[in-house]
Amino acid sequence: MPSGKNKAALTNRIRIHIGPAMGAVLFLFFSLTLIPLFSQTSSDPLSTQYMNWTGLKIKYKEGHWSGSAEIQNRVFLGPLRQDALLLPRLTVLRKIGSRFSAGAGMAYFLHSSPSVPDEKVEFWNSEFRPHIELNYKVRIHRLEIASRLRLEERLMQRQGTNPGLNRYNRTERGRIRIRLKMPLNQKLRFIVSDEFFVKHSPGLFINAEENRLRTGLDLSLAKGKELAAEYMHVYRNFGNNPPLQRHTLVLSYTLLLSPN
């Protein structure tokens, strides 16, 4: 049993780590988790879809700089049908102090249309998505708490069924994500996160768009290799739009690279 002196030392260390910024992160996490419960006010029936996201991510870190490249395949389950391809998402980050990092990136998507599982794909739309982001990370003993604010611009192709109609619609979107990660042993970690989306488009100042609540396990396979399996519940189309929920299995394989 630890002595009173050791207990006091541990308590002091925890108090040092629990500061205003970390408290704000925890407050945002629990607030965002409750948002979908109070936002599903539409009288329209709730549509449900089932999906699988499978991805590969490569991360590289050297000094204060880090970068990542990610590809992902998104499909509907029941019936099995393609939804979207992420090809790829590139991000470069610069560490700022001990807890912050900031950077920018670009993603390219191919979206099937219509985005309905029981209808055949009529055409594919491209999307270019540049973004900037700010990250904050802190540890309390073994618990890692991380938050990310990402601002992105979406350039979505809207070609429609008319071959002569080929234009890009522009919207701006903000995303705030809170993630908690707790090691269960030397190889296995428990993960839970919540991400909330708001958008800005012409004629609309700001509007809630989507919420993603995820939980799962992250397994270290070998040095520099990780495999994660998560369940993600997605709630989309707040306010006056018909509501939609998606039950999604997310599988991701990560390679961690470094110069050493």
Side-chain angles (χ1 to χ4, degrees):
M1 293 291 292
S3 65
K5 183 177 181 180
N6 290 336
K7 287 182 179 179
L10 176 60
T11 303
N12 289 335
R13 287 198 299 270
I14 293 176
R15 285 175 179 172
I16 290 172
H17 286 298
I18 301 179
M22 198 283 297
V25 169
L26 285 176
F27 174 77
L28 282 173
F29 175 78
F30 291 110
S31 298
L32 294 182
T33 304
L34 293 174
I35 284 176
L37 299 178
F38 297 100
S39 301
Q40 299 179 31
T41 57
S42 174
S43 59
D44 297 322
L46 180 65
S47 299
T48 301
Q49 298 173 350
Y50 300 89
M51 301 191 70
N52 172 241
W53 292 7
T54 305
L56 168 65
K57 193 169 188 177
I58 300 174
K59 294 182 178 181
Y60 181 82
K61 183 177 181 180
E62 182 175 6
H64 293 291
W65 292 93
S66 62
S68 64
E70 178 184 10
I71 60 174
Q72 192 177 70
N73 184 31
R74 303 178 180 181
V75 298
F76 291 107
L77 300 175
L80 185 64
R81 177 192 179 279
Q82 189 71 47
D83 175 54
L85 290 168
L86 169 58
L87 299 169
R89 178 185 283 118
L90 304 174
T91 304
V92 177
L93 296 173
R94 175 66 161 81
K95 192 174 181 181
I96 306 172
S98 61
R99 297 180 181 177
F100 288 92
S101 64
M106 168 71 79
Y108 175 72
F109 283 85
L110 277 174
H111 297 278
S112 67
S113 184
S115 183
V116 181
D118 54 0
E119 295 185 19
K120 68 177 183 178
V121 178
E122 297 184 4
F123 43 85
W124 290 85
N125 289 327
S126 296
E127 178 191 359
F128 295 92
R129 191 187 296 180
H131 73 267
I132 58 174
E133 65 180 68
L134 176 66
N135 298 274
Y136 173 80
K137 184 185 296 185
V138 67
R139 293 181 183 273
I140 303 176
H141 196 37
R142 300 174 62 202
L143 176 65
E144 177 186 286
I145 304 174
S147 64
R148 183 186 71 191
L149 173 62
R150 175 176 286 178
L151 303 177
E152 56 189 17
E153 184 174 34
R154 305 187 69 187
L155 301 172
M156 291 281 294
Q157 186 182 24
R158 301 294 186 188
Q159 58 183 345
T161 56
N162 183 355
L165 181 64
N166 190 355
R167 68 177 188 273
Y168 283 84
N169 290 347
R170 174 177 173 267
T171 60
E172 297 168 347
R173 186 166 70 174
R175 306 167 54 166
I176 182 167
R177 185 189 71 183
I178 314 295
R179 185 187 66 190
L180 310 180
K181 182 183 291 187
M182 170 64 78
L184 302 178
N185 54 41
Q186 292 184 349
K187 292 185 174 293
L188 195 62
R189 292 167 294 276
F190 172 73
I191 305 171
V192 60
S193 68
D194 197 6
E195 187 170 21
F196 188 65
F197 297 67
V198 294
K199 68 178 180 180
H200 168 73
S201 54
L204 181 68
F205 173 64
I206 196 168
N207 190 32
E209 182 184 35
E210 183 173 316
N211 181 264
R212 297 178 183 175
L213 182 61
R214 302 169 63 149
T215 184
L217 297 172
D218 183 22
L219 175 65
S220 296
L221 301 176
K223 184 178 180 180
K225 299 179 178 65
E226 297 178 354
L227 179 65
E230 298 174 89
Y231 164 75
M232 178 173 67
H233 180 267
V234 178
Y235 178 81
R236 298 183 62 183
N237 301 329
F238 290 83
N240 297 323
N241 297 317
L244 168 68
Q245 69 172 346
R246 285 176 167 173
H247 300 289
T248 306
L249 174 64
V250 183
L251 301 173
S252 55
Y253 182 75
T254 303
L255 294 174
L256 307 173
L257 305 178
S258 66
N260 300 323

